[in-house]
Amino acid sequence: MRIMGLDYGAKTVGVALSDESLLIAQPYETIERERPTKLRRTFARIEEIIIENGVTEIVLGYPKNMNNTEGERVRLTEEFKENLERRTGLPVHLMDERLTTIAADRTLSDMDVAKEDRKTYIDKVAAALILETYLDMRRNAE
C-alpha cells in the first residue's frame, strides 16, 4: 500500500510516492504535458504508476492564493481531481500547496543542484513535499 502525491501544473505533473510504511515521501517522476488541455496521456501514465506501485490513495496539491482566495488554478485542479477519481476509482485528497515550489527550489539549492538543472526536478520534489505534509498530518491525527 502506497500513497501518491501529485503537483498538477499547466505543463507538468510532479509525482511522488510514499514508502509502504507511509512514513517517507519520495520524488518519483515528472510527467510532461504537450498542452494544458491535453490530459489523456497524463491520466494513462498516472494509472500505470498506480498499478506498478500498489497506490491506494492520491494527494493532490491545492493551489490557493497566498491570501487564501481561489483563482483559476483551483478550478482547474478541482476538475482534475474529479476526473482522477472517476478514472482511477481511488480517493483523492486535496492538500494546500502554497510555498511548496519555493521550498522545493530551496531544497534543490541546498543539495547543490545547479539552477539550470532544477527545472528537471522541481515538480516531483514539490509533489514529495505535498505528500510529506499529508503523511505528517495523517500520523498526527492517529
Side-chain angles (χ1 to χ4, degrees):
M1 172 172 129
R2 294 180 192 265
I3 299 176
M4 172 185 281
L6 298 175
D7 181 29
Y8 173 63
K11 297 179 183 177
T12 61
V13 177
V15 181
L17 292 174
S18 73
D19 64 335
E20 291 184 353
S21 64
L22 305 179
L23 295 173
I24 300 169
Q26 302 169 356
Y28 187 77
E29 169 178 328
T30 299
I31 301 169
E32 301 283 336
R33 297 184 24 227
E34 291 175 25
R35 292 195 306 249
T37 56
K38 291 281 226 170
L39 289 170
R40 188 176 62 233
R41 288 193 350 217
T42 300
F43 284 124
R45 180 61 189 136
I46 290 170
E47 289 171 318
E48 287 172 2
I49 295 169
I50 288 169
I51 292 166
E52 291 167 2
N53 294 282
V55 171
T56 57
E57 310 177 43
I58 300 169
V59 178
L60 177 61
Y62 198 53
K64 283 187 163 184
N65 296 321
M66 289 306 293
N67 65 359
N68 209 32
T69 60
E70 297 178 0
E72 179 65 10
R73 292 292 321 150
V74 164
R75 184 187 66 75
L76 294 171
T77 299
E78 288 171 346
E79 285 179 16
F80 185 75
K81 175 188 183 285
E82 289 172 15
N83 288 325
L84 199 53
E85 287 173 327
R86 192 172 22 259
R87 286 198 58 147
T88 66
L90 297 177
V92 179
H93 312 284
L94 295 173
M95 178 59 54
D96 189 343
E97 70 168 32
R98 285 177 278 188
L99 301 177
T100 55
T101 300
I102 293 167
D105 188 59
R106 189 172 299 130
T107 299
L108 291 167
S109 175
D110 291 347
M111 295 171 59
D112 291 326
V113 175
K115 193 167 185 95
E116 58 273 6
D117 295 334
R118 290 183 202 160
K119 186 176 181 196
T120 305
Y121 304 103
I122 198 147
D123 295 315
K124 62 185 172 183
V125 171
L129 292 171
I130 291 164
L131 178 55
E132 183 178 305
T133 301
Y134 177 78
L135 294 173
D136 289 346
M137 197 175 77
R138 182 180 161 132
R139 267 192 310 278
N140 291 333
E142 293 175 349

